[in-house]
């Protein structure tokens, strides 16, 4: 029996028990950077997991025991398969699931507005197969109100007339809904995944409790909150906090450059304060699926309430200007060597949006390359994670990885992403000029290095 006697119902008790004894069938929709690791975590805990994706190539790769995410080895996929994991494009199999997690993309459209088409398509695909007593959890980052205003109404248009469990109504014709944000920090190995507390906000208390029970199987701590909107806002607060603080150090870096002060040394010194300070680091601009996009989900929603989110706008403005700063700094450094950027050979080191990961989304390197090309530079790139960079929603590069050799032939080498595998001493030694946007050359004293 669960502790939530007041919200008890046959469906609730049944799912609670299945989650406790690991017989619950778990469906994960969207097998990307968020969804696939979730599949593996639940499989490790002996749940039978089914992955759903519209990308047939991904489904086929997984069916063959393969992986398409660098940090996930094939052996882990195969271990999950041995525990019963299968992947499919067939949504009718949703009916077999007890709990369904949704981890589909939430990008911005061309006008910097939330593009919820993936969530809408997913909800519409689930609805015909929805069963009473199922738990549906949205993980995709989005503005507060999405679960209640968008997801639930679509799910409730199901052929069986099932309704989301509300208040104390967990009756026979209900299903459970919750929002629980993903908090993964790709490439960060300092915190084990299971040690990242999982926030869960259900549409009613029973949904919250079931959601916590579900994630309690793979995370050491769950944090129940009173509503999906609280959980949705929690995720945005976390990312806006980072976005604003990164913008602050980026702005201070520009000032420090003018004043001849090393911002990195300043941050290191400030970090010795044992309270009230958390270090953030400047860089060539922000990237990834979260920090550049998520704040705009909130500023868009805020307009509905006649509210202008000024911190978000200002931070966005500063962070977006950083690739332009890098290009201007490269131009100035070449100028000091009596060279023009126009016609210069430039090597961009690292195109992933941050170190040691194989993710290119919203990477500032892409903008930097395009800006350099616009100025007439002959641009090459090197990145151990990308043999080829094609085109995406906002860029069209079609470039091949350049081997890290004969660096002398480049007029400038720009360190955009400080992958750990790079030997920075060797890079400085063999280059004519190094523009360092990440403090990767810390401790290397050379006139060739320009920190920017
Ligand atoms: N990547 C991260 O580190 C991270 C961290 C925190 C939160 N998030 C959030 O998690 C969500 C997912 O991000 P991601 O990085 O895993 O994205 P992703 O692009 O890596 O993966 C999304 C997957 O969903 C699939 N998909 C799209 N529409 C679908 C549909 N209708 N049905 C089934 N599958 C569908 C895509 O084919 C893709 O495989 C986003 O909202 C993102 O903001 C991501």
């Amino acid at each position: 029996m669960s502790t939530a006697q007041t919200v008890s119902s046959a469906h609730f008790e049944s799912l609670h028990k299945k989650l406790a004894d690991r017989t619950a069938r778990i469906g994960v929709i969207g097998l990307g950077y968020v969804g696939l690791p979730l599949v593996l975590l639940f499989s490790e805990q002996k749940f039978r997991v089914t992955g759903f994706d519209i990308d047939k190539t991904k489904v086929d790769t997984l069916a063959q025991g393969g992986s398409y995410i660098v940090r996930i080895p094939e052996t882990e996929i195969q271990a999950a398969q041995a525990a019963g994991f299968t992947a499919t494009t067939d949504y009718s199999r949703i009916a077999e699931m007890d709990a369904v997690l949704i981890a589909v993309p939430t990008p911005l459209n061309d006008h910097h507005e939330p593009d919820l088409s993936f969530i809408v398509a997913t909800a519409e695909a689930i609805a015909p197969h929805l069963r009473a007593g199922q738990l549906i959890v949205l993980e995709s980052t989005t503005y507060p109100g999405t679960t209640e205003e968008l997801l639930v109404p679509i799910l409730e248009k199901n052929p069986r007339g099932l309704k989301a469990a509300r208040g104390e109504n967990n009756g026979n014709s209900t299903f459970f809904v919750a929002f629980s944000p993903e908090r993964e920090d790709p490439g960060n190995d300092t915190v084990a995944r299971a040690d990242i507390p999982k926030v869960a906000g259900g549409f009613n208390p029973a949904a919250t409790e079931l959601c916590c029970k579900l994630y309690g199987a793979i995370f050491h701590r769950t944090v129940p909150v009173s509503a999906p909107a609280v959980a949705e806002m929690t995720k945005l607060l976390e990312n806006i906090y980072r976005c604003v603080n990164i913008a602050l150090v980026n702005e201070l870096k520009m000032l420090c450059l003018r004043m001849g002060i090393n911002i990195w040394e300043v941050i290191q010194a400030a970090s010795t304060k044992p309270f009230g300070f958390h270090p953030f680091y400047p860089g060539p601009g922000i990237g990834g699926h979260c920090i550049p996009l998520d704040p705009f989900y909130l500023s868009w929603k805020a307009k509905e309430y006649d509210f202008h989110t000024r911190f978000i706008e200002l931070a966005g403005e500063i962070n977006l200007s950083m690739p332009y700063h890098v290009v201007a700094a490269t131009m100035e450094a070449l100028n000091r060597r009596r060279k023009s950027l126009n016609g210069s050979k430039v090597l961009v080191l690292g195109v992933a949006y941050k170190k040691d990961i194989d993710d290119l989304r919203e990477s500032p390197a892409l903008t930097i390359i395009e800006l350099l090309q616009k100025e007439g530079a002959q641009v090459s790139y090197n990145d151990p994670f990308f043999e080829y960079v094609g085109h995406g929603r906002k860029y069209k590069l079609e470039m091949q990885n350049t081997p890290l050799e004969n660096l002398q032939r480049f007029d400038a080498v720009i360190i955009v992403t400080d992958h750990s595998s790079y030997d920075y001493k060797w890079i400085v030694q063999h280059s004519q000029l190094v523009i360092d946007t990440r403090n990767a050359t810390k401790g290397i004293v050379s006139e060739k290095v320009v920190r920017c």
Side-chain angles (χ1 to χ4, degrees), residues 96-134:
E96 300 165 25
M97 304 299 130
D98 296 297
V100 177
L101 316 182
I102 305 170
V104 295
T106 44
L108 294 173
N109 66 20
D110 291 342
H111 304 288
H112 261 229
E113 293 161 346
D115 172 2
L116 293 174
S117 59
F118 296 92
I119 293 183
V120 170
T122 303
E124 285 173 348
I126 296 174
H129 311 289
L130 202 61
R131 245 188 332 99
Q134 279 179 322

Side-chain angles (χ1 to χ4, degrees), residues 28-37 52-56 58 68-69 71 88 91 102-107 117-123 125 138-142 181-186 235 239 288-290 293-294 297 353 359 361:
V28 177
I29 302 182
L31 301 172
Y33 290 94
V34 168
L36 193 54
F52 297 80
D53 206 294
I54 47 170
D55 185 340
K56 196 171 173 318
K58 283 185 179 164
Y68 39 81
I69 296 180
R71 63 178 188 278
T88 180
Y91 263 94
I102 305 170
V104 295
T106 44
S117 59
F118 296 92
I119 293 183
V120 170
T122 303
L138 181 61
E139 287 236 2
S140 304
T141 310
T142 182
E182 172 55 51
R183 279 173 151 174
E184 203 202 358
D185 183 13
K235 172 72 185 174
N239 281 351
H289 192 312
C290 299
L293 311 184
D294 300 352
Y297 267 72
Y353 81 84
D359 194 341
R361 290 177 294 178

Side-chain angles (χ1 to χ4, degrees), residues 29-207:
I29 302 182
L31 301 172
Y33 290 94
V34 168
L36 193 54
L38 281 172
V39 164
L40 301 179
L41 289 171
F42 280 110
S43 290
E44 267 171 33
Q45 293 304 319
K46 308 292 174 230
F47 283 97
R48 210 168 128 206
V49 187
T50 306
F52 297 80
D53 206 294
I54 47 170
D55 185 340
K56 196 171 173 318
T57 322
K58 283 185 179 164
V59 169
D60 290 345
T61 305
L62 294 169
Q64 286 156 20
S67 171
Y68 39 81
I69 296 180
V70 169
R71 63 178 188 278
I72 298 181
E74 293 186 344
T75 47
E76 289 189 19
I77 305 291
Q78 289 152 16
Q81 282 177 319
F85 165 60
T86 53
T88 180
T89 54
D90 177 8
Y91 263 94
S92 70
R93 297 198 49 205
I94 287 289
E96 300 165 25
M97 304 299 130
D98 296 297
V100 177
L101 316 182
I102 305 170
V104 295
T106 44
L108 294 173
N109 66 20
D110 291 342
H111 304 288
H112 261 229
E113 293 161 346
D115 172 2
L116 293 174
S117 59
F118 296 92
I119 293 183
V120 170
T122 303
E124 285 173 348
I126 296 174
H129 311 289
L130 202 61
R131 245 188 332 99
Q134 279 179 322
L135 169 65
I136 312 292
V137 184
L138 181 61
E139 287 236 2
S140 304
T141 310
T142 182
Y143 59 77
T146 308
T147 306
E148 182 166 359
E149 296 161 12
L150 189 79
L151 180 67
V152 168
I154 299 175
L155 292 179
E156 287 187 335
K157 281 189 206 141
N158 63 78
R160 295 188 176 91
L162 305 173
K163 296 287 169 205
R166 286 173 168 78
E168 305 231 329
N169 175 17
N170 302 307
N172 284 339
S173 313
T174 59
F175 57 93
F176 302 100
V177 181
F179 181 84
S180 180
E182 172 55 51
R183 279 173 151 174
E184 203 202 358
D185 183 13
N188 179 352
D189 296 329
T190 57
V191 185
R193 192 81 196 283
D195 286 332
I196 304 173
K198 192 83 166 101
V199 173
F203 204 53
N204 75 342

Side-chain angles (χ1 to χ4, degrees), residues 223-282:
V223 183
V225 294
S226 60
V230 175
E232 288 160 340
M233 189 66 155
T234 302
K235 172 72 185 174
L236 291 184
L237 169 63
E238 291 165 8
N239 281 351
I240 290 164
Y241 170 78
R242 284 183 62 194
C243 180
V244 167
N245 279 288
I246 291 168
L248 176 68
V249 286
N250 274 333
E251 188 175 63
L252 291 182
K253 171 186 80 172
M254 312 277 275
L255 174 63
C256 282
L257 280 170
R258 243 181 241 190
M259 297 175 77
I261 298 169
N262 183 336
I263 182 77
W264 297 90
E265 194 184 346
V266 174
I267 296 170
Q268 196 179 9
S271 300
T272 59
K273 187 178 177 186
F275 49 86
F277 183 82
H278 182 85
F280 287 86
Y281 299 98

